[in-house]
């Protein structure tokens, strides 16, 4: 298996622009998690899906962030409009029946 | 009550020494305690995990010690090697809730 796939790996954008991060979970996994990692705040869970349904989005920082999972093999995290404080590494992770989470390589987002 | 407190924040150990990282929790409903290892530029990866029905689990040079009464668990790395230099995260979850509660992370440096 190719593991969790994330794209793009790096994204540089200007403040106010829309940013879309993409994730393909491991085939057969039924849970998907979006995390944000910064030096200041560490690893933060933004939202997670179970069987494509959002279960807990309490970690989404504000309405500028939205996430979708239209099917079992694809999810997006969108930031609109982006701000410099959104600069971070965003990870997608997937798991089967919970417990062990497999992380993707991350997307390093820089908002200038 | 949902927090997992991890210490130390950083740790320097000589090659061949024992590295010890500690975590404490309050929620007695937690029933799964994993440790994740993260190398620079990579996503975290599961290293070893334990459930509260055992006091110790060993996999190679890595051992989790679990003290249910004290609500603490720790990671011991025996014969530490430079390749073990990474950031280590402890975490905890309640069985039916797939959301992991993460510690703040420990940056481990093994000096050759």
């Amino acid at each position: 298996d190719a593991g969790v796939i994330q794209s793009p790996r790096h994204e540089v954008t200007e403040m106010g622009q829309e940013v879309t991060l993409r994730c393909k979970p491991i085939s057969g996994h039924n849970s998907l998690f979006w995390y944000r990692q910064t030096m200041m705040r560490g690893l933060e869970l933004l939202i997670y899906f179970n069987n494509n349904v959002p279960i807990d989005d309490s970690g989404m920082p504000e309405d500028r962030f939205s996430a979708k999972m239209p099917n079992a093999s694809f999810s997006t995290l969108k930031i609109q409009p982006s701000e410099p404080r959104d600069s971070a590494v965003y990870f997608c992770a997937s798991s089967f029946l919970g417990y062990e989470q497999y992380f993707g390589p991350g997307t390093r987002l820089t908002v200038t | 009550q949902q927090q997992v407190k991890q210490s130390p924040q950083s740790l320097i150990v000589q090659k061949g020494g024992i590295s010890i990282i500690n975590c404490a929790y309050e929620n007695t409903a937690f029933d799964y305690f994993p440790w994740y290892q993260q190398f620079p530029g990579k996503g975290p990866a599961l290293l070893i995990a334990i459930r509260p029905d055992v006091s110790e689990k060993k996999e190679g040079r890595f051992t989790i010690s679990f003290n249910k009464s004290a609500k603490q668990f720790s990671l011991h790395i025996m014969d530490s090697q430079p390749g073990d230099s990474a950031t280590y995260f402890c975490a905890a979850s309640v069985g039916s809730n797939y959301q992991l509660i993460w510690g703040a992370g420990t940056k481990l440096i093994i000096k050759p």
Side-chain angles (χ1 to χ4, degrees):
Chain A
D1 200 319
V4 175
I5 298 172
Q6 289 187 248
S7 64
R9 293 293 313 276
H10 301 273
E11 176 80 34
V12 180
T13 191
E14 292 184 347
M15 182 174 65
Q17 297 298 307
E18 177 179 293
V19 175
T20 299
L21 310 182
R22 296 172 176 80
C23 175
K24 177 178 169 54
I26 292 173
S27 177
H29 283 190
N30 63 341
S31 297
L32 183 138
F33 307 80
W34 281 102
Y35 289 91
R36 178 172 67 177
Q37 186 174 41
T38 61
M39 290 293 291
M40 290 296 294
R41 300 176 67 89
L43 195 61
E44 302 173 276
L45 176 66
L46 301 177
I47 185 171
Y48 82 94
F49 296 84
N50 201 32
N51 295 321
N52 311 337
V53 176
I55 302 300
D56 185 350
D57 65 354
S58 60
M60 297 285 261
E62 48 198 276
D63 292 345
R64 297 184 297 106
F65 286 69
S66 63
K68 293 182 179 180
M69 191 165 186
N71 56 61
S73 59
F74 184 66
S75 177
T76 59
L77 178 68
K78 186 175 293 187
I79 309 172
Q80 165 64 15
S82 58
E83 296 183 3
R85 60 192 167 121
D86 301 331
S87 297
V89 180
Y90 291 80
F91 288 105
C92 173
S94 70
S95 73
F96 177 66
L97 296 180
Y99 299 125
E100 180 170 3
Q101 295 183 17
Y102 293 80
F103 282 73
T107 295
R108 181 172 295 276
L109 174 65
T110 302
V111 183
T112 62
Chain B
Q1 192 179 19
Q2 280 288 84
Q3 282 187 322
V4 175
K5 294 183 179 179
Q6 183 172 347
S7 62
Q9 190 174 9
S10 61
L11 181 63
I12 299 174
V13 175
Q14 289 293 131
K15 178 183 174 182
I18 301 173
S19 303
I20 302 174
I21 304 171
N22 301 297
C23 284
Y25 64 96
E26 289 295 326
N27 187 352
T28 55
F30 286 148
D31 64 353
Y32 175 68
F33 303 89
W35 285 89
Y36 279 74
Q37 180 187 54
Q38 183 179 25
F39 293 107
K42 305 289 187 182
L46 179 67
L47 184 63
I48 186 172
I50 197 169
R51 296 189 185 278
D53 53 343
V54 296
S55 60
E56 186 177 280
K57 183 174 181 180
K58 185 176 180 179
E59 290 184 3
R61 296 184 294 109
F62 300 91
T63 299
I64 298 180
S65 296
F66 184 80
N67 186 329
K68 190 173 182 178
S69 60
K71 291 185 283 186
Q72 294 176 348
F73 59 110
S74 59
L75 175 69
H76 296 236
I77 306 174
M78 312 298 288
D79 187 26
S80 300
Q81 298 297 312
D84 298 330
S85 296
T87 299
Y88 292 81
F89 294 93
C90 64
S93 70
V94 177
S96 60
N97 179 349
Y98 300 155
Q99 180 178 345
L100 285 172
I101 307 302
W102 294 82
T106 296
K107 184 172 183 179
L108 174 65
I109 298 173
I110 306 300
K111 286 201 163 185

